[in-house]
Amino acid sequence: MKNTKENYAVFEKEVHGKPLVGQINLDTENFADKSSFPYCLDITVLLKEDELNDHGLPSLPAISQTCYDVEDFLMNKADKFCDTYFVAHFFNDSKFRLFLYLNDQKELSLYLQSIAYQPKQIRNFSYNLIEDKDWGHINFLFRKKPVINNNTELESHFKRNAELWERWKHRGITEDKEFTVLFHFYAAKKSQMEALCKTLQVENIKFNTEQTRTFVFLKGWKVDAKLTQIWALTELQDKMAYMFMLSTQTDTSLEGCGAYL
């Protein structure tokens, strides 16, 4: 992969009235060597109706993880056939999409023709592999500037997560091992706690709530959202950004995350 130094951000926007949520490579617009990557690979994974919430996004973490597994598989294969440049991946309107630019397409095109639509795949996918020297195929991602979540609070979470991940690795955690991560929220008001819990219920995310007190006075509610799955640092950061978005929407505070190891 060309852009080995990751400079990605979580972004949100709306396309045709549907929310779009994903990660984007911040270096893309100013990338000076676009002419060396004249081919665009556009991967689409269709999600089923019963896998979606009311916004057309995945209803369970396991569903998004399946899409990430398809992405990892295809990117690993692509890197064996050519040089690649990652632009973005995102969920929007019942689809997961991945955009890569390639310096060559011949061998990868033959490989994709041989495996796409085969029933033994992790998940069926379709693809569009075109010559796109001016990178016009991805203009829609930048036409209306996505809301880049460079919030300093979120950046602090990302930094702590990276430190946590290193400690977890020293304790035996690997990217093929399932474990539970807790995302800790604090709500000062009962209405805020209830709004958060309702949202977590809609998303089928398990959670615990606990009132917090100092001596006699009620101070608020702690809410722990629990996700059990196979994790990587990129997935942890994605989920942290999503939980941060939920905390913003419900006027609660995201305190951080922890794990059962």
Side-chain angles (χ1 to χ4, degrees), residues 87-121:
V87 174
H89 70 205
F90 57 83
F91 292 95
N92 170 245
D93 194 16
S94 75
K95 303 178 187 70
F96 173 77
R97 295 183 71 182
L98 165 68
F99 286 92
L100 302 174
Y101 275 82
L102 319 171
N103 72 326
D104 185 59
Q105 54 84 33
K106 292 180 182 178
E107 291 186 60
L108 180 58
S109 178
L110 291 173
Y111 176 76
L112 290 173
Q113 290 175 33
S114 71
I115 67 163
Y117 316 110
Q118 287 189 4
K120 292 184 179 180
Q121 297 304 316

Short mmCIF file of all heavy atoms in Angstrom, two decimals, residues 87-121:
data_model
loop_
_atom_site.label_atom_id
_atom_site.label_comp_id
_atom_site.label_asym_id
_atom_site.label_seq_id
_atom_site.Cartn_x
_atom_site.Cartn_y
_atom_site.Cartn_z
N VAL A 87 -8.29 5.37 -0.24
CA VAL A 87 -8.98 6.66 -0.20
C VAL A 87 -9.99 6.70 0.94
O VAL A 87 -9.96 7.59 1.79
CB VAL A 87 -9.69 6.96 -1.53
CG1 VAL A 87 -10.55 8.23 -1.42
CG2 VAL A 87 -8.68 7.10 -2.65
N ALA A 88 -10.92 5.73 0.98
CA ALA A 88 -11.98 5.77 1.98
C ALA A 88 -12.71 4.45 2.04
O ALA A 88 -12.72 3.67 1.07
CB ALA A 88 -12.97 6.90 1.67
N HIS A 89 -13.33 4.19 3.18
CA HIS A 89 -14.39 3.18 3.26
C HIS A 89 -15.51 3.76 4.10
O HIS A 89 -15.29 4.58 4.99
CB HIS A 89 -13.87 1.85 3.82
CG HIS A 89 -13.50 1.86 5.27
ND1 HIS A 89 -12.61 0.97 5.82
CD2 HIS A 89 -13.91 2.62 6.32
CE1 HIS A 89 -12.49 1.20 7.13
NE2 HIS A 89 -13.28 2.20 7.45
N PHE A 90 -16.74 3.33 3.81
CA PHE A 90 -17.87 3.89 4.53
C PHE A 90 -19.12 3.05 4.35
O PHE A 90 -19.21 2.21 3.44
CB PHE A 90 -18.16 5.33 4.05
CG PHE A 90 -18.42 5.45 2.57
CD1 PHE A 90 -19.68 5.20 2.04
CD2 PHE A 90 -17.40 5.84 1.71
CE1 PHE A 90 -19.92 5.32 0.67
CE2 PHE A 90 -17.64 5.96 0.35
CZ PHE A 90 -18.90 5.70 -0.16
N PHE A 91 -20.07 3.27 5.26
CA PHE A 91 -21.41 2.70 5.17
C PHE A 91 -22.37 3.80 4.75
O PHE A 91 -22.32 4.92 5.26
CB PHE A 91 -21.85 2.12 6.51
CG PHE A 91 -21.08 0.91 6.93
CD1 PHE A 91 -19.99 1.03 7.79
CD2 PHE A 91 -21.43 -0.36 6.48
CE1 PHE A 91 -19.27 -0.08 8.18
CE2 PHE A 91 -20.71 -1.48 6.86
CZ PHE A 91 -19.63 -1.35 7.72
N ASN A 92 -23.27 3.47 3.81
CA ASN A 92 -24.27 4.45 3.35
C ASN A 92 -25.38 3.71 2.62
O ASN A 92 -25.10 2.92 1.71
CB ASN A 92 -23.61 5.48 2.43
CG ASN A 92 -24.62 6.37 1.73
OD1 ASN A 92 -24.74 6.33 0.50
ND2 ASN A 92 -25.35 7.16 2.48
N ASP A 93 -26.62 3.95 3.04
CA ASP A 93 -27.80 3.47 2.31
C ASP A 93 -27.72 1.97 2.02
O ASP A 93 -27.83 1.54 0.87
CB ASP A 93 -27.97 4.26 1.02
CG ASP A 93 -29.35 4.05 0.39
OD1 ASP A 93 -30.25 3.54 1.08
OD2 ASP A 93 -29.51 4.39 -0.79
N SER A 94 -27.52 1.17 3.07
CA SER A 94 -27.52 -0.30 3.01
C SER A 94 -26.32 -0.88 2.26
O SER A 94 -26.35 -2.02 1.83
CB SER A 94 -28.82 -0.84 2.40
OG SER A 94 -28.86 -0.66 0.99
N LYS A 95 -25.26 -0.09 2.12
CA LYS A 95 -24.07 -0.57 1.42
C LYS A 95 -22.81 -0.25 2.21
O LYS A 95 -22.75 0.72 2.96
CB LYS A 95 -23.93 0.09 0.04
CG LYS A 95 -25.10 -0.08 -0.90
CD LYS A 95 -24.83 0.66 -2.21
CE LYS A 95 -26.04 0.66 -3.12
NZ LYS A 95 -27.12 1.52 -2.58
N PHE A 96 -21.80 -1.10 2.00
CA PHE A 96 -20.44 -0.81 2.45
C PHE A 96 -19.61 -0.62 1.19
O PHE A 96 -19.65 -1.44 0.27
CB PHE A 96 -19.87 -1.96 3.27
CG PHE A 96 -18.41 -1.79 3.63
CD1 PHE A 96 -18.02 -0.92 4.64
CD2 PHE A 96 -17.42 -2.50 2.94
CE1 PHE A 96 -16.68 -0.77 4.97
CE2 PHE A 96 -16.08 -2.35 3.27
CZ PHE A 96 -15.72 -1.49 4.29
N ARG A 97 -18.86 0.49 1.12
CA ARG A 97 -18.06 0.76 -0.07
C ARG A 97 -16.61 1.04 0.32
O ARG A 97 -16.33 1.63 1.35
CB ARG A 97 -18.63 1.92 -0.87
CG ARG A 97 -20.00 1.61 -1.44
CD ARG A 97 -20.53 2.73 -2.30
NE ARG A 97 -19.82 2.85 -3.56
CZ ARG A 97 -20.08 3.80 -4.47
NH1 ARG A 97 -21.02 4.70 -4.21
NH2 ARG A 97 -19.41 3.84 -5.60
N LEU A 98 -15.72 0.59 -0.55
CA LEU A 98 -14.28 0.75 -0.37
C LEU A 98 -13.71 1.31 -1.66
O LEU A 98 -14.01 0.81 -2.75
CB LEU A 98 -13.64 -0.61 -0.06
CG LEU A 98 -12.12 -0.73 -0.18
CD1 LEU A 98 -11.43 0.09 0.91
CD2 LEU A 98 -11.69 -2.19 -0.09
N PHE A 99 -12.88 2.36 -1.54
CA PHE A 99 -12.25 2.96 -2.70
C PHE A 99 -10.74 2.87 -2.59
O PHE A 99 -10.14 3.37 -1.62
CB PHE A 99 -12.66 4.43 -2.84
CG PHE A 99 -14.07 4.63 -3.33
CD1 PHE A 99 -15.11 4.75 -2.44
CD2 PHE A 99 -14.34 4.67 -4.70
CE1 PHE A 99 -16.41 4.93 -2.88
CE2 PHE A 99 -15.64 4.84 -5.15
CZ PHE A 99 -16.68 4.98 -4.25
N LEU A 100 -10.12 2.26 -3.59
CA LEU A 100 -8.67 2.19 -3.72
C LEU A 100 -8.26 2.70 -5.10
O LEU A 100 -9.02 2.54 -6.07
CB LEU A 100 -8.16 0.75 -3.57
CG LEU A 100 -8.47 -0.04 -2.31
CD1 LEU A 100 -7.98 -1.47 -2.48
CD2 LEU A 100 -7.82 0.61 -1.10
N TYR A 101 -7.08 3.28 -5.20
CA TYR A 101 -6.50 3.59 -6.50
C TYR A 101 -5.26 2.71 -6.70
O TYR A 101 -4.54 2.41 -5.74
CB TYR A 101 -6.18 5.07 -6.63
CG TYR A 101 -7.38 5.86 -7.07
CD1 TYR A 101 -8.34 6.26 -6.15
CD2 TYR A 101 -7.59 6.16 -8.42
CE1 TYR A 101 -9.47 6.95 -6.57
CE2 TYR A 101 -8.72 6.86 -8.83
CZ TYR A 101 -9.66 7.25 -7.90
OH TYR A 101 -10.78 7.91 -8.31
N LEU A 102 -5.04 2.29 -7.96
CA LEU A 102 -4.04 1.28 -8.28
C LEU A 102 -3.08 1.80 -9.35
O LEU A 102 -3.48 2.58 -10.23
CB LEU A 102 -4.71 0.01 -8.82
CG LEU A 102 -6.00 -0.46 -8.13
CD1 LEU A 102 -6.63 -1.58 -8.93
CD2 LEU A 102 -5.71 -0.89 -6.70
N ASN A 103 -1.83 1.32 -9.28
CA ASN A 103 -0.89 1.70 -10.33
C ASN A 103 -1.01 0.79 -11.54
O ASN A 103 -0.57 1.13 -12.64
CB ASN A 103 0.55 1.68 -9.80
CG ASN A 103 1.07 0.26 -9.56
OD1 ASN A 103 0.31 -0.62 -9.17
ND2 ASN A 103 2.35 0.05 -9.77
N ASP A 104 -1.64 -0.38 -11.36
CA ASP A 104 -1.83 -1.34 -12.45
C ASP A 104 -3.07 -2.17 -12.14
O ASP A 104 -3.42 -2.34 -10.96
CB ASP A 104 -0.60 -2.24 -12.60
CG ASP A 104 -0.72 -3.16 -13.80
OD1 ASP A 104 -0.87 -2.64 -14.93
OD2 ASP A 104 -0.69 -4.38 -13.61
N GLN A 105 -3.74 -2.68 -13.17
CA GLN A 105 -5.00 -3.37 -12.91
C GLN A 105 -5.12 -4.75 -13.56
O GLN A 105 -6.07 -5.49 -13.29
CB GLN A 105 -6.17 -2.50 -13.37
CG GLN A 105 -6.11 -2.04 -14.82
CD GLN A 105 -6.66 -3.05 -15.81
OE1 GLN A 105 -7.59 -3.79 -15.51
NE2 GLN A 105 -6.07 -3.10 -16.99
N LYS A 106 -4.16 -5.14 -14.40
CA LYS A 106 -4.34 -6.34 -15.20
C LYS A 106 -4.51 -7.60 -14.36
O LYS A 106 -5.51 -8.32 -14.48
CB LYS A 106 -3.16 -6.51 -16.17
CG LYS A 106 -3.10 -5.44 -17.25
CD LYS A 106 -1.90 -5.66 -18.16
CE LYS A 106 -1.82 -4.55 -19.21
NZ LYS A 106 -0.63 -4.72 -20.09
N GLU A 107 -3.55 -7.90 -13.52
CA GLU A 107 -3.60 -9.14 -12.76
C GLU A 107 -4.73 -9.13 -11.73
O GLU A 107 -5.44 -10.12 -11.54
CB GLU A 107 -2.26 -9.39 -12.06
CG GLU A 107 -1.13 -9.72 -13.01
CD GLU A 107 0.13 -10.10 -12.25
OE1 GLU A 107 0.09 -11.07 -11.47
OE2 GLU A 107 1.15 -9.39 -12.41
N LEU A 108 -4.92 -7.99 -11.08
CA LEU A 108 -5.98 -7.89 -10.09
C LEU A 108 -7.35 -8.03 -10.75
O LEU A 108 -8.25 -8.68 -10.20
CB LEU A 108 -5.90 -6.56 -9.35
CG LEU A 108 -6.97 -6.33 -8.27
CD1 LEU A 108 -6.91 -7.42 -7.20
CD2 LEU A 108 -6.81 -4.96 -7.63
N SER A 109 -7.52 -7.47 -11.93
CA SER A 109 -8.79 -7.59 -12.64
C SER A 109 -9.12 -9.04 -12.93
O SER A 109 -10.26 -9.49 -12.74
CB SER A 109 -8.73 -6.78 -13.95
OG SER A 109 -9.94 -6.92 -14.66
N LEU A 110 -8.14 -9.80 -13.38
CA LEU A 110 -8.36 -11.21 -13.65
C LEU A 110 -8.72 -11.97 -12.38
O LEU A 110 -9.60 -12.83 -12.38
CB LEU A 110 -7.11 -11.83 -14.29
CG LEU A 110 -6.79 -11.36 -15.71
CD1 LEU A 110 -5.43 -11.91 -16.15
CD2 LEU A 110 -7.88 -11.82 -16.68
N TYR A 111 -8.03 -11.61 -11.29
CA TYR A 111 -8.33 -12.28 -10.02
C TYR A 111 -9.74 -11.97 -9.55
O TYR A 111 -10.49 -12.87 -9.14
CB TYR A 111 -7.31 -11.86 -8.97
CG TYR A 111 -7.60 -12.45 -7.61
CD1 TYR A 111 -7.33 -13.78 -7.33
CD2 TYR A 111 -8.19 -11.68 -6.61
CE1 TYR A 111 -7.61 -14.33 -6.10
CE2 TYR A 111 -8.48 -12.22 -5.37
CZ TYR A 111 -8.19 -13.55 -5.13
OH TYR A 111 -8.49 -14.09 -3.90
N LEU A 112 -10.14 -10.71 -9.61
CA LEU A 112 -11.47 -10.32 -9.15
C LEU A 112 -12.55 -10.99 -9.98
O LEU A 112 -13.59 -11.41 -9.46
CB LEU A 112 -11.63 -8.81 -9.19
CG LEU A 112 -10.81 -8.02 -8.16
CD1 LEU A 112 -10.92 -6.52 -8.42
CD2 LEU A 112 -11.26 -8.35 -6.74
N GLN A 113 -12.31 -11.10 -11.28
CA GLN A 113 -13.28 -11.78 -12.14
C GLN A 113 -13.47 -13.23 -11.72
O GLN A 113 -14.56 -13.79 -11.86
CB GLN A 113 -12.82 -11.73 -13.60
CG GLN A 113 -12.89 -10.36 -14.23
CD GLN A 113 -12.29 -10.35 -15.63
OE1 GLN A 113 -12.37 -11.34 -16.36
NE2 GLN A 113 -11.66 -9.24 -16.00
N SER A 114 -12.42 -13.83 -11.18
CA SER A 114 -12.50 -15.24 -10.83
C SER A 114 -13.17 -15.50 -9.48
O SER A 114 -13.64 -16.61 -9.23
CB SER A 114 -11.08 -15.85 -10.80
OG SER A 114 -10.34 -15.37 -9.68
N ILE A 115 -13.23 -14.47 -8.61
CA ILE A 115 -13.77 -14.73 -7.27
C ILE A 115 -15.05 -13.98 -6.93
O ILE A 115 -15.80 -14.41 -6.05
CB ILE A 115 -12.73 -14.40 -6.17
CG1 ILE A 115 -12.45 -12.90 -6.10
CG2 ILE A 115 -11.45 -15.19 -6.38
CD1 ILE A 115 -11.78 -12.50 -4.81
N ALA A 116 -15.31 -12.84 -7.58
CA ALA A 116 -16.52 -12.07 -7.22
C ALA A 116 -17.75 -12.92 -7.48
O ALA A 116 -17.84 -13.60 -8.29
CB ALA A 116 -16.57 -10.79 -8.05
N TYR A 117 -18.73 -12.82 -6.66
CA TYR A 117 -20.01 -13.52 -6.79
C TYR A 117 -19.94 -15.02 -6.46
O TYR A 117 -20.94 -15.72 -6.57
CB TYR A 117 -20.61 -13.36 -8.20
CG TYR A 117 -20.54 -11.96 -8.72
CD1 TYR A 117 -19.70 -11.64 -9.78
CD2 TYR A 117 -21.30 -10.94 -8.14
CE1 TYR A 117 -19.61 -10.34 -10.25
CE2 TYR A 117 -21.22 -9.64 -8.60
CZ TYR A 117 -20.38 -9.35 -9.66
OH TYR A 117 -20.29 -8.07 -10.12
N GLN A 118 -18.77 -15.53 -6.11
CA GLN A 118 -18.72 -16.93 -5.72
C GLN A 118 -19.33 -17.12 -4.35
O GLN A 118 -19.08 -16.35 -3.43
CB GLN A 118 -17.26 -17.43 -5.72
CG GLN A 118 -16.68 -17.62 -7.10
CD GLN A 118 -15.34 -18.33 -7.07
OE1 GLN A 118 -14.88 -18.74 -6.01
NE2 GLN A 118 -14.71 -18.46 -8.22
N PRO A 119 -20.14 -18.18 -4.16
CA PRO A 119 -20.86 -18.36 -2.89
C PRO A 119 -19.97 -18.63 -1.70
O PRO A 119 -20.39 -18.48 -0.56
CB PRO A 119 -21.77 -19.57 -3.17
CG PRO A 119 -21.13 -20.28 -4.32
CD PRO A 119 -20.48 -19.22 -5.14
N LYS A 120 -18.72 -19.03 -1.90
CA LYS A 120 -17.85 -19.36 -0.78
C LYS A 120 -17.14 -18.14 -0.20
O LYS A 120 -16.37 -18.26 0.74
CB LYS A 120 -16.81 -20.40 -1.22
CG LYS A 120 -17.40 -21.77 -1.54
CD LYS A 120 -16.31 -22.78 -1.86
CE LYS A 120 -16.91 -24.15 -2.15
NZ LYS A 120 -15.86 -25.14 -2.47
N GLN A 121 -17.39 -16.94 -0.73
CA GLN A 121 -16.77 -15.75 -0.20
C GLN A 121 -17.30 -15.41 1.19
O GLN A 121 -18.38 -15.85 1.59
CB GLN A 121 -17.01 -14.56 -1.14
CG GLN A 121 -16.41 -14.73 -2.53
CD GLN A 121 -14.91 -15.00 -2.47
OE1 GLN A 121 -14.19 -14.36 -1.72
NE2 GLN A 121 -14.46 -15.96 -3.26
#
